[in-house]
């Protein structure tokens, strides 16, 4: 279960491994981090393979800790999930992501879709639809330019409720992506029950497509299945040109990974939205 720890609060995570004392300290710091504006969003671009244009970006949270420097979400999101801080933090992230996407549009860049991660407590235990609606209203972002990412394991916690929430979001015009696809425990039958627009192939497969026949087979099967189901497919963790070529040959729609850019501050990502940037 260690593999899944990054975005599944019920599994292993480094934050939960710390001593009680350390956790308390981290927790009280995190509480203040939001107020002190130590939390920020980084963005990672997503490129459409047919055009080589940036058509989306994923918002990834960071904590710029006064003493410890930049802390990655794997070290505090699981804790925030546990103590409920994910609710204000998550709402802030949604608002901020919409705001920045709107700013890019107003600056004259071609519009892109902004993807925001939702974790367990955020998705199932608070009025997420209202929070998203409010963020769209406050920022004036057209809903078609917002996408939510949830994992298949999360959708399976409460299937009926998940379908209901996703339907409401989709009726608003927001897009739905399944994150880390291929690593969860859901049955493929569910793919047709859930209102989904995008599958994101987990990086653990993409990383190995050059070395492992198995990883290659799984990746191309997910791409083929997505096409048959009329879903867009994004490959995550694309680090090499050779990965890009293979994925393009398979018919994969979109790539994301260090090959294009590491997650970075909005001012570093904005220039990449220029149409010819990756040509
Ligand atoms: P994720 O949603 O699966 O995000 C992808 C992770 O892979 C990111 O790690 C990203 O920096 C990393 N990555 C992207 N391309 C490459 C690549 O080519 N090679 C390698 N080795 N890694 C790559 P990051 O930013 O540390 O985020 C970790 C997890 O934290 C995310 O996993 C997501 O589950 C969670 N997270 C991040 N931001 C938020 C947020 O605002 N809300 C919630 N609820 N969770 C978040
Ligand atoms: Ca994600
Ligand atoms: Ca992912
Ligand atoms: Ca993940």
């Amino acid at each position: 279960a260690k593999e899944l720890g990054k975005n599944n609060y019920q599994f292993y995570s480094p934050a939960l491994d710390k001593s009680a004392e350390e956790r308390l300290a981290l927790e009280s710091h995190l509480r203040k981090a939001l107020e002190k504006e130590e939390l920020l969003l980084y963005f990672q671009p997503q490129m459409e393979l047919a055009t080589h244009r940036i058509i989306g970006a994923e918002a990834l949270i960071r904590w710029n800790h006064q003493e410890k420097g930049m802390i990655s979400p794997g070290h505090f999101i699981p804790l925030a999930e546990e103590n409920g801080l994910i609710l204000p933090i998550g709402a802030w992230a949604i608002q901020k992501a919409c705001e920045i996407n709107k700013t890019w549009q107003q600056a004259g860049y071609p519009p892109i879709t902004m993807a925001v991660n939702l974790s367990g407590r955020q998705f199932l235990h608070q009025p997420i639809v209202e929070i998203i609606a409010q963020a769209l209203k406050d920022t004036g972002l057209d809903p078609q330019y917002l996408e939510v990412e949830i994992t298949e394991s999360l959708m399976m916690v409460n299937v009926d409720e998940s379908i209901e929430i996703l339907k409401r979001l989709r009726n608003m015009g927001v897009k739905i992506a399944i994150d880390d696809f291929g690593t969860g425990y859901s049955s493929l039958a569910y793919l047709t029950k859930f209102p989904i627009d995008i599958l994101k192939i987990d990086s653990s497969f993409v990383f190995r497509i050059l070395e492992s026949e198995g990883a290659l087979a799984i990746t191309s099967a997910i791409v083929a299945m997505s096409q048959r189901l009329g879903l867009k497919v994004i490959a995550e963790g694309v680090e090499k040109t050779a990965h890009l070529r293979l994925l393009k040959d398979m018919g994969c729609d979109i790539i994301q990974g260090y090959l294009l850019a590491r997650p970075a501050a909005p001012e570093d990502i904005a220039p990449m939205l220029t149409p010819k940037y990756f040509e």
Side-chain angles (χ1 to χ4, degrees):
K2 202 166 173 175
E3 272 278 282
L4 296 169
K6 280 198 293 183
N7 35 18
N8 292 276
Y9 59 103
Q10 65 270 53
F11 296 110
Y12 170 88
S13 94
L16 303 181
D17 235 21
K18 290 186 170 33
S19 73
E21 201 179 335
E22 275 179 301
R23 280 176 55 181
L24 268 178
L26 192 65
E27 187 173 329
S28 83
H29 280 135
L30 186 55
R31 217 173 277 280
K32 287 177 200 135
L34 242 188
E35 298 158 22
K36 290 196 294 183
E37 297 182 16
E38 286 184 358
L39 295 182
L40 54 140
L41 290 184
Y42 270 11
F43 299 90
Q44 190 177 36
Q46 301 172 332
M47 187 180 81
E48 184 175 63
L49 285 172
T51 59
H52 279 215
R53 287 189 180 201
I54 300 306
I55 50 82
E58 179 176 3
L60 294 156
I61 202 163
R62 295 289 181 272
W63 179 3
N64 193 5
H65 193 281
Q66 256 179 359
E67 289 119 45
K68 296 181 178 154
M70 215 57 96
I71 305 180
S72 61
H75 294 281
F76 64 93
I77 291 287
L79 181 74
E81 267 280 319
E82 230 202 10
N83 63 26
L85 279 175
I86 192 67
L87 303 183
I89 292 173
W92 168 84
I94 292 164
Q95 181 87 24
K96 195 78 190 169
C98 291
E99 191 183 300
I100 289 177
N101 200 19
K102 183 71 184 182
T103 308
W104 286 340
Q105 292 181 6
Q106 284 168 337
Y109 292 108
I112 66 162
T113 305
M114 178 65 79
V116 178
N117 290 283
L118 299 183
S119 46
R121 209 148 158 175
Q122 260 180 299
F123 183 62
L124 293 170
H125 305 287
Q126 71 167 0
I128 191 65
V129 180
E130 286 72 19
I131 286 168
I132 289 173
Q134 190 64 47
L136 290 166
K137 193 169 165 235
D138 289 348
T139 60
L141 182 71
D142 184 328
Q144 66 171 309
Y145 299 119
L146 180 66
E147 182 176 308
V148 294
E149 294 192 3
I150 60 166
T151 62
E152 42 178 341
S153 320
L154 175 52
M155 295 192 325
M156 300 306 292
V157 173
N158 188 336
V159 170
D160 294 336
E161 194 184 345
S162 297
I163 292 176
E164 207 39 54
I165 295 170
L166 295 179
K167 274 189 181 158
R168 288 180 62 203
L169 287 174
R170 216 170 183 221
N171 285 341
M172 282 165 49
V174 173
K175 297 200 174 69
I176 317 289
I178 302 193
D179 204 359
D180 303 346
F181 187 73
T183 63
Y185 303 97
S186 62
S187 124
L188 289 179
Y190 280 109
L191 281 180
T192 57
K193 289 199 181 169
F194 284 97
I196 300 162
D197 302 287
I198 296 131
L199 290 186
K200 296 191 79 178
I201 308 172
D202 192 66
S203 52
S204 61
F205 302 114
V206 179
F207 285 149
R208 293 182 293 126
I209 54 173
L210 294 169
E211 296 85 21
S212 154
E213 279 292 332
L216 182 64
I218 290 169
T219 302
S220 64
I222 296 174
V223 170
M225 185 179 68
S226 302
Q227 287 171 341
R228 290 295 299 271
L229 292 171
L231 306 173
K232 288 269 179 205
V233 62
I234 303 181
E236 286 197 272
V238 176
E239 295 187 344
K240 298 175 179 173
T241 312
H243 291 153
L244 180 153
R245 288 210 194 91
L246 263 180
L247 289 160
K248 198 168 193 168
D249 290 345
M250 278 176 209
C252 177
D253 300 299
I254 300 158
I255 60 162
Q256 181 183 344
Y258 292 173
L259 177 68
L260 305 174
R262 289 185 178 248
E267 60 271 25
D268 297 326
I269 298 301
M272 299 178 194
L273 310 187
T274 314
K276 292 200 158 71
Y277 191 89
F278 283 105
E279 268 177 16

